[in-house]
Amino acid sequence: MEIPDFLPAFTSRSKPALSAVFTPDMVEADSLLRARYSDLSPSTLSVDDVTSVFEGNLWSLAGPAFLYFLPAFMRLCLVDYPALTVFAGELIGALTEPSRQDVSAAFELLDSLPPKSLRNPGLTNELRSRQLEWFDSGAPNALFVARFDDVLPAEGAAIVIFLERFRRAHSDDFPFDEIDLAMTRHWYRYRP
């Protein structure tokens, strides 16, 4: 599979100042990202950078930083998916417009998994309640809008290309049609 160069579509994105990298609600940002930030760029980002700095922290990136690094994230997920399976799942999640139904469906799936004897219904209900409360606060939708409300047509088209290529190569690893959800909820409008 030929890997597209996503960088040209995002040339209008400049590297944000460190103070603008994290979402406003981040009290204490990841210290490794803070320490390495000045050395990181989309053209030089490596798999090791992604797994050691961004994996598990993608949720904390504010819109400008997310879009600045997005072309590298997409390229690396296509080039070296076996090393980035966890991060790729995070990226697909970040590219998916949030839905309250997703939270409910995730807990319904958890409730259906065997063995029931290992689950703690009280803990599950507490987690469900907190996740729904968080969703109802508007935070997930606000983050999605902050990241993608000003996406340029060329950037949106690049994201569509990524999602289509990624789906062809790795849809078997996403049995709940997560890649299609990302496309149909938001990115379809950028199809050429």
Side-chain angles (χ1 to χ4, degrees):
M1 167 174 57
E2 183 180 331
I3 306 300
D5 181 6
F6 298 114
L7 282 174
F10 291 82
T11 56
S12 68
R13 302 289 171 178
S14 57
K15 188 172 191 172
L18 183 59
S19 61
V21 170
F22 301 100
T23 56
D25 58 336
M26 285 296 298
V27 175
E28 192 170 310
D30 182 78
S31 59
L32 185 57
L33 178 53
R34 283 189 179 280
R36 304 228 358 242
Y37 183 68
S38 64
D39 299 327
L40 299 172
S41 77
S43 61
T44 62
L45 204 68
S46 69
V47 169
D48 181 58
D49 293 330
V50 171
T51 57
S52 65
V53 177
F54 293 101
E55 189 172 277
N57 294 310
L58 194 57
W59 63 274
S60 69
L61 291 181
F66 186 91
L67 290 173
Y68 176 72
F69 288 108
L70 183 57
F73 294 157
M74 294 187 302
R75 179 183 56 79
L76 289 169
C77 284
L78 289 173
V79 169
D80 207 348
Y81 175 72
L84 295 173
T85 56
V86 171
F87 180 79
E90 288 179 61
L91 183 59
I92 296 301
L95 292 171
T96 305
E97 188 171 3
S99 163
R100 191 177 202 277
Q101 178 56 35
D102 292 344
V103 176
S104 298
F107 282 97
E108 288 169 15
L109 178 63
L110 179 64
D111 288 339
S112 71
L113 295 175
K116 292 184 186 272
S117 62
L118 296 178
R119 284 195 304 277
N120 179 334
L123 179 60
T124 302
N125 289 336
E126 178 67 21
L127 288 172
R128 177 185 289 117
S129 174
R130 287 183 185 202
Q131 285 292 304
L132 289 171
E133 182 180 316
W134 177 69
F135 186 87
D136 292 341
S137 76
N141 284 320
L143 180 58
F144 188 85
V145 167
R147 284 178 171 170
F148 302 120
D149 206 34
D150 69 344
V151 164
L152 300 173
E155 296 168 334
I159 294 168
V160 166
I161 290 168
F162 164 73
L163 289 170
E164 289 174 343
R165 299 261 176 114
F166 192 81
R167 179 180 49 215
R168 281 196 299 271
H170 306 294
S171 63
D172 289 348
D173 292 340
F174 293 84
F176 303 106
D177 298 324
E178 295 96 323
I179 304 165
D180 286 334
L181 282 177
M183 184 69 82
T184 58
R185 286 190 187 163
H186 187 77
W187 301 107
Y188 69 90
R189 67 189 80 186
Y190 294 99
R191 276 193 165 140

